[in-house]
Amino acid sequence: MGVEAPRIARKVKAGQFLVLRVAEGGERIPLTFSDWSAEEGWIRFIFMRVGKTTHELSHLEVGDSIADVAGPLGQPTHVGDLGRVAVVGGGVGAAVAYSVARAMAEAGDEVTVILGARTADLLVLEEELRALPIKELVVMTDDGSVGRGGLVTAPLKELCESGAIDNAFAVGPAIMMKFCAATTAEFDVPTIVSLNPIMVDGTGMCGACRVTVGGETKFGCVDGPDFDGHAVNFEELLTRQRIYTDDERVADAEYSRGCQCQV
Amino acid sequence: MPGVAENQPAEKPRHKPSRAPRTPMPEREAAERATDFDEVAIGYSQDDAIAEAMRCLQCRNPTCIDGCPVNIDIKSFIGHIIEGNWADGVAVLKERNALPAVCGRVCPQEEQCEAACVLAKKGEPVAIGRLERYLGDFDLACDIESRCVPELAPSSGFRVAVVGSGPAGLAAAGELARLGHAVTIFESLHAPGGVLSYGIPEFRLPKSIVNAEIEMLETAGVEIVLDSVIGQIETVEELMAPSEKGGSGYDAVFLGLGAGLPVFMGIPGENLNGVYSANEFLTRVNLMRAFDFPHADTPVWRGRKVAVVGGGNVAMDAARTAKRLGAEEVFLVYRRTEDEMPARREEVHHAREEGIEFKMLCSPSEITGREGWVTGLVATRMELGEADDSGRRSPVCVLGSEFPIECDTVIMAVGTRANPMLDRAAPDIETTRRGYILTDEEGATSVPGVFAGGDIVTGAATVILAMGAGKRSARAIDAWLREGKPGA
């Protein structure tokens, strides 16, 4: 989705995120930028319809507006001295992978992108990635409907084994990042992960997004979202992401009921 | 001495103070109010206000005024209440305080103006805060056209950016606008008010009051830009850079960013599901209206047995909020005794009335859990030892005294610290070891034209102290702009 936001577009760097609220009474949700243009004053992000907020977002028409967009938030991804780097993007993490791969390539890093999705329909940004000055793009789907069949960790492991990469960057579902980090750890390949904890304000004020990194509590929003993947406590992150699972079900049910009433 | 009185000029009839006891604040019953988020204190009726105002001695040398951080002419506004001149009373308040309906509710008057009242010596000071609230509410109940807007000085041509729309920022903005400057407030959240919006609960400070007071500032010409995280979208340097150089061209900046990051204790189990910072818990309920979930979209975990760690006003707010969300048991875990609690007596009293249990002289050493969720606390008993720097006796652990407390939610209300965002907003500014901004008494920072006030200078404090700092800085900014600004 593209949004006109000139003040934000002027400042975004790869790896940063925004917090938006679709309408009055809405939840604040964090989303990572996939693209932007400082000159034309727009930003773009990719989302998957999973709950009420993203459903509402998907129902907006061209020309509609979003109540609130705040950003850019978080620290930009470190680029430029990574040498040969593998960028792994899973699911909607492809959005971040795209902007980070682009920034790395522009800064002189040699980038191999591994793009993964459950199935062909959920694969995004393949065309755009092919257009980047990167060394290689490897496409993976769980069901083999496009590209190679299997998980993103397979090609990542091969790159590690052949000594073809100096660094790795992974973004996607927490479970995917966990296994990417575990894969590279075996080969001592430094790995940055772009975490997606639950947030409210996104400015360091609430601490909902706290994650344990190297035994220390960090705030995803101001200290991150990028952290050393080998030091992140993924079990804790996965558990913390499930805090509101029941509430989300209630909200979805309420929302669907509301939709039916309108028909 | 006989004869002296006859020589005095004729005056209006002298005020004869009433000797009635302090007029109680009408409040809703604890059992009723603990189930909803409506305001606890109903506010004085007109008769209550007059009866209470009549108790004022109208001292020749009023001491109460010195007790007020913003030096409101208390004697005079109470005088107007005695005479029934409400609008004149409001005008007196607004000379010094842009947000009387807010301050009348949340100021710790018992430590300030009321402590300095002559009648306080007998334990029954004039209820200055309740009278302030009465006038503040009177003003807000009027149509917007007939409300009291302080007279604005002619436009100075200067533009000032205020970062943060909490008490410090709002007070600074109100005063700067009154002094004739064009003011823009940048707020990082989607609603203005800072702690007044996200922190202090509806039952203590209705958001309609906060919004109405902010609307008044906008009427006075203050512009508020929401969703603008200074430090991320623009630095202070960029705010002040001339537009030819791509900056926003503000002539001065006031930083009222607040204290920011919530503090955790660093004990095992703090990242279990069910552990909240008070900031997060209150933000979800107040700003995001999670009490109205699923009609509002933001959820909050509603525990049955809730432990709140801390003894300040924020701890009281969190405990009373948890109760209102339906918790069966809510208890405060505090390492000193009730006497040392930094919370206002009134808040402690209200919390007790609403059934909050106080577990004093104990401190959590661990949060226990199962499958990622909180199941309880391990607490250590404490004893009071020697007095520390704050004059309060410091708690000392009793060895081997650990005991379990069963709960499914833990709310940490143990303070805040400086937000690292400040560093990104103004990397050149001098800060203290703890990350707060260093300023002189007027709020001037190490960077010319940049002033600061409120919690980001003092560390977590009160609404009125932040407002006082905002106002002082506004005057210093005014002086700097008109006299001292290089090249002006």
Side-chain angles (χ1 to χ4, degrees):
Chain A
M1 174 175 280
V3 176
E4 197 181 298
R7 286 180 68 218
I8 297 176
R10 231 159 49 126
K11 283 289 180 155
V12 186
K13 290 205 170 76
Q16 290 187 301
F17 64 93
L18 57 92
V19 164
L20 66 77
R21 205 175 64 124
V22 181
E24 206 51 49
E27 198 172 7
R28 293 171 67 96
I29 62 161
L31 291 168
T32 310
F33 296 99
S34 63
D35 201 1
W36 57 91
S37 165
E39 294 74 33
E40 293 166 23
W42 53 262
I43 56 173
R44 187 175 294 154
F45 49 86
I46 292 178
F47 61 93
M48 190 151 87
R49 276 185 298 181
V50 288
K52 182 182 171 188
T53 304
T54 42
H55 267 96
E56 283 180 338
L57 212 47
S58 72
H59 289 148
L60 295 178
E61 311 256 346
V62 172
D64 283 351
S65 49
I66 296 175
D68 301 277
V69 182
L73 299 172
Q75 314 250 32
T77 297
H78 179 79
V79 299
D81 56 3
L82 302 170
R84 299 167 303 162
V85 56
V87 172
V88 185
V92 287
V96 187
Y98 168 72
S99 66
V100 165
R102 183 173 67 183
M104 286 174 177
E106 279 169 6
D109 298 322
E110 184 192 292
V111 187
T112 301
V113 176
I114 303 171
L115 182 65
R118 281 208 307 275
T119 181
D121 289 350
L122 297 174
L123 196 75
V124 289
L125 292 172
E126 188 188 346
E127 288 303 301
E128 288 84 348
L129 277 162
R130 286 204 191 284
L132 291 182
I134 56 172
K135 185 180 170 214
E136 197 191 350
L137 172 67
V138 181
V139 174
M140 300 292 295
T141 47
D142 294 6
D143 61 1
S145 50
V146 66
R148 253 174 84 177
L151 301 175
V152 289
T153 42
L156 181 63
K157 188 168 184 184
E158 289 158 18
L159 289 170
C160 290
E161 276 170 342
S162 61
I165 51 170
D166 307 309
N167 283 286
F169 176 93
V171 56
I175 191 78
M176 182 211 90
M177 293 190 278
K178 177 188 162 180
F179 283 108
C180 286
T183 303
T184 57
E186 249 183 83
F187 301 93
D188 282 332
V189 173
T191 301
I192 296 297
V193 289
S194 173
L195 300 186
N196 50 350
I198 290 174
M199 293 186 188
V200 183
D201 62 288
T203 65
M205 206 185 76
C206 82
C209 62
R210 55 197 193 278
V211 290
T212 303
V213 183
E216 241 182 279
T217 294
K218 298 278 181 189
F219 284 12
C221 64
V222 286
D223 299 321
D226 291 4
F227 292 101
D228 173 0
H230 298 155
V232 169
N233 181 339
F234 281 104
E235 289 314 312
E236 183 186 276
L237 175 68
L238 285 159
T239 306
R240 289 188 62 78
Q241 285 180 336
R242 287 195 292 266
I243 301 180
Y244 301 106
T245 313
D246 292 347
D247 295 307
E248 280 156 14
R249 244 176 254 136
V250 172
D252 289 349
E254 179 83 10
Y255 179 60
S256 325
R257 211 155 47 89
C259 288
Q260 280 157 14
C261 291
Q262 283 163 17
V263 172
Chain B
M1 213 186 284
V4 173
E6 287 164 28
N7 298 335
Q8 280 185 349
E11 276 182 11
K12 57 185 172 184
R14 244 186 75 202
H15 167 61
K16 286 204 191 74
S18 112
R19 289 163 163 260
R22 195 167 144 107
T23 315
M25 175 58 110
E27 284 170 359
R28 295 164 63 221
E29 287 296 327
E32 176 205 324
R33 71 189 193 227
T35 62
D36 64 34
F37 282 85
D38 294 341
E39 196 170 14
V40 167
I42 297 163
Y44 275 170
S45 65
Q46 187 174 328
D47 289 347
D48 288 336
I50 293 173
E52 186 57 24
M54 286 299 291
R55 297 182 61 239
C56 174
L57 303 180
Q58 293 284 297
C59 303
R60 191 176 294 264
N61 297 308
T63 47
C64 49
I65 298 175
D66 293 331
C68 172
V70 296
N71 302 116
I72 291 174
D73 187 348
I74 295 164
K75 174 184 171 181
S76 160
F77 91 70
I78 294 182
H80 286 305
I81 296 179
I82 294 170
E83 315 242 314
N85 297 329
W86 320 117
D88 293 342
V90 174
V92 169
L93 279 172
K94 292 226 171 166
E95 276 168 24
R96 292 276 166 177
N97 182 347
L99 315 172
V102 170
C103 290
R105 285 171 168 82
V106 302
C107 264
Q109 293 98 7
E110 62 281 0
E111 295 168 14
Q112 300 174 347
C113 51
E114 292 180 15
C117 172
V118 172
L119 294 178
K121 292 184 188 118
K122 290 182 181 156
E124 289 258 282
V126 175
I128 299 168
R130 295 169 186 172
L131 293 173
E132 178 182 29
R133 168 178 164 174
Y134 179 78
L135 286 180
D137 286 356
F138 171 86
D139 189 47
L140 293 181
C142 298
D143 298 335
I144 189 126
E145 301 83 38
S146 39
R147 281 189 216 156
C148 171
V149 181
E151 210 173 302
L152 306 183
S155 168
S156 68
F158 290 116
R159 295 168 68 235
V160 184
V162 170
V163 181
S165 67
L170 291 175
E175 186 69 2
L176 285 163
R178 204 173 67 86
L179 293 165
H181 308 299
V183 184
T184 308
I185 301 183
F186 294 96
E187 165 58 45
S188 67
L189 293 171
H190 60 262
V195 74
L196 307 176
S197 289
Y198 73 74
I200 303 178
E202 182 79 16
F203 57 82
R204 215 150 65 77
L205 178 64
K207 300 312 142 212
S208 56
I209 298 286
V210 178
N211 294 338
E213 299 252 44
I214 290 171
E215 202 182 316
M216 289 298 292
L217 283 179
E218 290 179 301
T219 309
V222 173
E223 185 196 7
I224 302 180
V225 183
L226 301 171
D227 299 315
S228 290
V229 187
I230 298 302
Q232 299 285 97
I233 197 164
E234 218 168 340
T235 62
V236 168
E237 198 179 342
E238 287 165 331
L239 283 172
M240 292 186 76
S243 51
E244 316 77 272
K245 292 185 181 161
S248 294
Y250 287 97
D251 299 293
V253 173
F254 174 77
L255 298 173
L257 311 171
L261 264 80
V263 170
F264 288 88
M265 293 179 73
I267 58 175
E270 266 183 318
N271 293 347
L272 286 165
N273 288 354
V275 183
Y276 280 116
S277 72
N279 261 12
E280 180 184 355
F281 183 70
L282 292 171
T283 299
R284 282 181 180 274
V285 179
N286 298 333
L287 178 72
M288 306 309 297
R289 309 185 71 76
F291 62 85
D292 198 20
F293 179 85
H295 300 111
D297 293 347
T298 305
V300 66
W301 164 246
R302 295 174 183 233
R304 286 171 46 233
K305 283 190 174 190
V306 180
V308 178
V309 182
N313 287 322
V314 175
M316 299 301 149
D317 285 346
R320 297 170 70 195
T321 298
K323 190 83 187 176
R324 283 163 172 75
L325 289 175
E328 289 156 19
E329 263 181 74
V330 182
F331 37 86
L332 280 162
V333 177
Y334 181 57
R335 57 197 185 129
R336 295 175 156 118
T337 72
E338 198 175 320
D339 290 340
E340 287 84 20
M341 275 191 172
R344 292 182 70 187
R345 294 298 101 191
E346 187 181 304
E347 304 308 329
V348 173
H349 170 72
H350 280 151
R352 270 199 191 285
E353 274 187 341
E354 290 167 13
I356 311 294
E357 203 187 315
F358 287 36
K359 291 187 191 289
M360 300 291 99
L361 286 170
C362 60
S363 177
S365 47
E366 185 184 345
I367 302 169
T368 51
R370 193 166 40 236
E371 290 165 12
W373 289 82
V374 172
T375 54
L377 284 178
V378 177
T380 307
R381 295 228 177 268
M382 311 296 273
E383 282 175 348
L384 291 184
E386 301 289 306
D388 64 8
D389 296 347
S390 72
R392 294 182 301 175
R393 293 174 64 194
S394 5
V396 185
C397 291
V398 178
L399 284 178
S401 67
E402 287 78 10
F403 65 101
I405 300 176
E406 195 193 315
C407 61
D408 57 13
T409 307
V410 178
I411 300 170
M412 290 290 178
V414 291
T416 52
R417 58 193 168 94
N419 193 324
M421 202 73 89
L422 168 65
D423 227 23
R424 298 177 206 170
D428 304 332
I429 219 159
E430 263 184 65
T431 55
T432 66
R433 212 161 32 84
R434 303 179 63 190
Y436 297 118
I437 301 177
L438 269 173
T439 68
D440 67 10
E441 276 177 15
E442 312 274 65
T445 70
S446 58
V447 179
V450 180
F451 295 72
D455 285 3
I456 193 61
V457 172
T458 56
T462 62
V463 168
I464 191 68
L465 283 174
M467 289 186 59
K471 195 166 177 116
R472 264 196 311 283
S473 287
R475 297 207 178 127
I477 290 170
D478 180 66
W480 185 78
L481 288 171
R482 292 182 196 273
E483 298 154 24
K485 189 187 178 201

PDB file of all heavy atoms in Angstrom, chain B residues 32-43:
ATOM      1  N   GLU B  32     -19.662   1.576  43.850  1.00  0.00           N
ATOM      2  CA  GLU B  32     -20.203   1.913  42.535  1.00  0.00           C
ATOM      3  C   GLU B  32     -19.077   2.303  41.583  1.00  0.00           C
ATOM      4  O   GLU B  32     -18.970   1.801  40.474  1.00  0.00           O
ATOM      5  CB  GLU B  32     -21.194   3.076  42.694  1.00  0.00           C
ATOM      6  CG  GLU B  32     -21.764   3.592  41.382  1.00  0.00           C
ATOM      7  CD  GLU B  32     -22.229   5.032  41.469  1.00  0.00           C
ATOM      8  OE1 GLU B  32     -22.747   5.455  42.510  1.00  0.00           O
ATOM      9  OE2 GLU B  32     -22.039   5.765  40.476  1.00  0.00           O
ATOM     10  N   ARG B  33     -18.194   3.202  42.067  1.00  0.00           N
ATOM     11  CA  ARG B  33     -17.202   3.774  41.146  1.00  0.00           C
ATOM     12  C   ARG B  33     -16.129   2.778  40.734  1.00  0.00           C
ATOM     13  O   ARG B  33     -15.535   2.908  39.675  1.00  0.00           O
ATOM     14  CB  ARG B  33     -16.563   5.002  41.773  1.00  0.00           C
ATOM     15  CG  ARG B  33     -15.623   4.682  42.925  1.00  0.00           C
ATOM     16  CD  ARG B  33     -15.194   5.919  43.661  1.00  0.00           C
ATOM     17  NE  ARG B  33     -14.082   5.606  44.526  1.00  0.00           N
ATOM     18  CZ  ARG B  33     -13.993   5.981  45.804  1.00  0.00           C
ATOM     19  NH1 ARG B  33     -14.956   6.688  46.358  1.00  0.00           N
ATOM     20  NH2 ARG B  33     -12.941   5.653  46.509  1.00  0.00           N
ATOM     21  N   ALA B  34     -15.879   1.753  41.597  1.00  0.00           N
ATOM     22  CA  ALA B  34     -14.802   0.804  41.288  1.00  0.00           C
ATOM     23  C   ALA B  34     -15.161  -0.124  40.138  1.00  0.00           C
ATOM     24  O   ALA B  34     -14.384  -0.988  39.762  1.00  0.00           O
ATOM     25  CB  ALA B  34     -14.434  -0.011  42.524  1.00  0.00           C
ATOM     26  N   THR B  35     -16.369   0.029  39.580  1.00  0.00           N
ATOM     27  CA  THR B  35     -16.760  -0.834  38.465  1.00  0.00           C
ATOM     28  C   THR B  35     -16.802  -0.079  37.146  1.00  0.00           C
ATOM     29  O   THR B  35     -17.107  -0.656  36.113  1.00  0.00           O
ATOM     30  CB  THR B  35     -18.153  -1.449  38.708  1.00  0.00           C
ATOM     31  OG1 THR B  35     -19.100  -0.371  38.791  1.00  0.00           O
ATOM     32  CG2 THR B  35     -18.192  -2.247  39.997  1.00  0.00           C
ATOM     33  N   ASP B  36     -16.556   1.229  37.176  1.00  0.00           N
ATOM     34  CA  ASP B  36     -16.559   1.959  35.902  1.00  0.00           C
ATOM     35  C   ASP B  36     -15.428   2.988  35.880  1.00  0.00           C
ATOM     36  O   ASP B  36     -14.662   3.092  36.827  1.00  0.00           O
ATOM     37  CB  ASP B  36     -17.926   2.624  35.655  1.00  0.00           C
ATOM     38  CG  ASP B  36     -18.253   3.698  36.682  1.00  0.00           C
ATOM     39  OD1 ASP B  36     -17.325   4.391  37.146  1.00  0.00           O
ATOM     40  OD2 ASP B  36     -19.440   3.845  37.034  1.00  0.00           O
ATOM     41  N   PHE B  37     -15.329   3.715  34.782  1.00  0.00           N
ATOM     42  CA  PHE B  37     -14.215   4.656  34.625  1.00  0.00           C
ATOM     43  C   PHE B  37     -14.661   6.112  34.757  1.00  0.00           C
ATOM     44  O   PHE B  37     -13.924   7.022  34.433  1.00  0.00           O
ATOM     45  CB  PHE B  37     -13.513   4.415  33.276  1.00  0.00           C
ATOM     46  CG  PHE B  37     -12.596   3.211  33.332  1.00  0.00           C
ATOM     47  CD1 PHE B  37     -13.088   1.939  33.121  1.00  0.00           C
ATOM     48  CD2 PHE B  37     -11.257   3.367  33.636  1.00  0.00           C
ATOM     49  CE1 PHE B  37     -12.251   0.828  33.195  1.00  0.00           C
ATOM     50  CE2 PHE B  37     -10.404   2.280  33.715  1.00  0.00           C
ATOM     51  CZ  PHE B  37     -10.902   1.002  33.490  1.00  0.00           C
ATOM     52  N   ASP B  38     -15.894   6.330  35.247  1.00  0.00           N
ATOM     53  CA  ASP B  38     -16.354   7.715  35.414  1.00  0.00           C
ATOM     54  C   ASP B  38     -15.635   8.358  36.591  1.00  0.00           C
ATOM     55  O   ASP B  38     -15.122   7.685  37.475  1.00  0.00           O
ATOM     56  CB  ASP B  38     -17.871   7.742  35.629  1.00  0.00           C
ATOM     57  CG  ASP B  38     -18.611   7.272  34.388  1.00  0.00           C
ATOM     58  OD1 ASP B  38     -17.991   7.278  33.306  1.00  0.00           O
ATOM     59  OD2 ASP B  38     -19.779   6.879  34.503  1.00  0.00           O
ATOM     60  N   GLU B  39     -15.652   9.670  36.611  1.00  0.00           N
ATOM     61  CA  GLU B  39     -14.864  10.397  37.591  1.00  0.00           C
ATOM     62  C   GLU B  39     -15.323  10.107  39.023  1.00  0.00           C
ATOM     63  O   GLU B  39     -16.517  10.020  39.310  1.00  0.00           O
ATOM     64  CB  GLU B  39     -14.927  11.908  37.305  1.00  0.00           C
ATOM     65  CG  GLU B  39     -13.832  12.649  38.036  1.00  0.00           C
ATOM     66  CD  GLU B  39     -13.691  14.097  37.600  1.00  0.00           C
ATOM     67  OE1 GLU B  39     -14.588  14.629  36.918  1.00  0.00           O
ATOM     68  OE2 GLU B  39     -12.656  14.702  37.962  1.00  0.00           O
ATOM     69  N   VAL B  40     -14.340   9.962  39.912  1.00  0.00           N
ATOM     70  CA  VAL B  40     -14.606   9.636  41.312  1.00  0.00           C
ATOM     71  C   VAL B  40     -15.128  10.861  42.062  1.00  0.00           C
ATOM     72  O   VAL B  40     -16.166  10.806  42.736  1.00  0.00           O
ATOM     73  CB  VAL B  40     -13.313   9.100  41.974  1.00  0.00           C
ATOM     74  CG1 VAL B  40     -13.464   9.042  43.486  1.00  0.00           C
ATOM     75  CG2 VAL B  40     -12.959   7.732  41.406  1.00  0.00           C
ATOM     76  N   ALA B  41     -14.405  11.972  41.945  1.00  0.00           N
ATOM     77  CA  ALA B  41     -14.795  13.197  42.651  1.00  0.00           C
ATOM     78  C   ALA B  41     -15.763  13.979  41.768  1.00  0.00           C
ATOM     79  O   ALA B  41     -15.461  14.287  40.622  1.00  0.00           O
ATOM     80  CB  ALA B  41     -13.563  14.026  42.957  1.00  0.00           C
ATOM     81  N   ILE B  42     -16.939  14.282  42.305  1.00  0.00           N
ATOM     82  CA  ILE B  42     -17.993  14.886  41.491  1.00  0.00           C
ATOM     83  C   ILE B  42     -17.766  16.380  41.288  1.00  0.00           C
ATOM     84  O   ILE B  42     -18.143  16.948  40.280  1.00  0.00           O
ATOM     85  CB  ILE B  42     -19.370  14.627  42.151  1.00  0.00           C
ATOM     86  CG1 ILE B  42     -19.635  13.125  42.181  1.00  0.00           C
ATOM     87  CG2 ILE B  42     -20.490  15.357  41.413  1.00  0.00           C
ATOM     88  CD1 ILE B  42     -20.724  12.706  43.142  1.00  0.00           C
ATOM     89  N   GLY B  43     -17.103  17.002  42.257  1.00  0.00           N
ATOM     90  CA  GLY B  43     -16.874  18.448  42.152  1.00  0.00           C
ATOM     91  C   GLY B  43     -17.843  19.215  43.025  1.00  0.00           C
ATOM     92  O   GLY B  43     -18.947  18.747  43.314  1.00  0.00           O
TER      93      GLY B  43
END
